[in-house]
Amino acid sequence: MVIASVLVSFLGIFISGVFQFAVWTKLDYPELGIGTALRYGLKLMQGRFGQYILLELSFIGWFILGILALFIGLLWVIPYNQVAVASFYRTACEEQGTFLEA
């Protein structure tokens, strides 16, 4: 049961990362369709899933501290997490090349 919950958690993190990357791709290239943006988000995530998981797991302590600070700390933790993931997206885009080159 524990192994299944860990696998489902990793799958959820992967899917949320793909959708997050697809949204940012759609914002970068508004002329793209949703399906194309999702495929590019998946392409960006390929080969980087382990790094993405480690990035997300590195924020667990910060989220716990934010919760212990009566949820007020989350006002700083959530934007910090989003900026870190956005930087990860930018790095992945630079390594992958622009969408038009992909």
Side-chain angles (χ1 to χ4, degrees), residues 15 20 23 34 39 41-42 48-49 55 64 69 75 86 91 99:
I15 291 172
Q20 197 169 26
V23 168
I34 294 172
R39 282 192 299 275
L42 181 62
R48 294 177 183 87
F49 179 62
L55 176 67
I64 292 171
L75 292 173
T91 303
F99 177 78

Side-chain angles (χ1 to χ4, degrees), residues 28-102:
D28 285 345
Y29 304 100
E31 68 277 358
L32 292 180
I34 294 172
T36 308
L38 280 170
R39 282 192 299 275
Y40 187 64
L42 181 62
K43 187 175 183 178
L44 286 176
M45 188 62 82
Q46 288 176 348
R48 294 177 183 87
F49 179 62
Q51 294 172 339
Y52 184 74
I53 289 289
L54 290 176
L55 176 67
E56 290 294 335
L57 289 177
S58 70
F59 281 95
I60 287 177
W62 287 108
F63 278 106
I64 292 171
L65 284 175
I67 291 168
L68 290 176
L70 303 176
F71 294 94
I72 295 173
L74 292 179
L75 292 173
W76 287 269
V77 175
I78 292 172
Y80 181 43
N81 176 271
Q82 292 300 307
V83 168
V85 174
S87 176
F88 183 81
Y89 166 77
R90 279 287 162 213
T91 303
C93 284
E94 290 170 2
E95 290 174 1
Q96 184 70 36
T98 64
F99 177 78
L100 301 174
E101 296 171 2

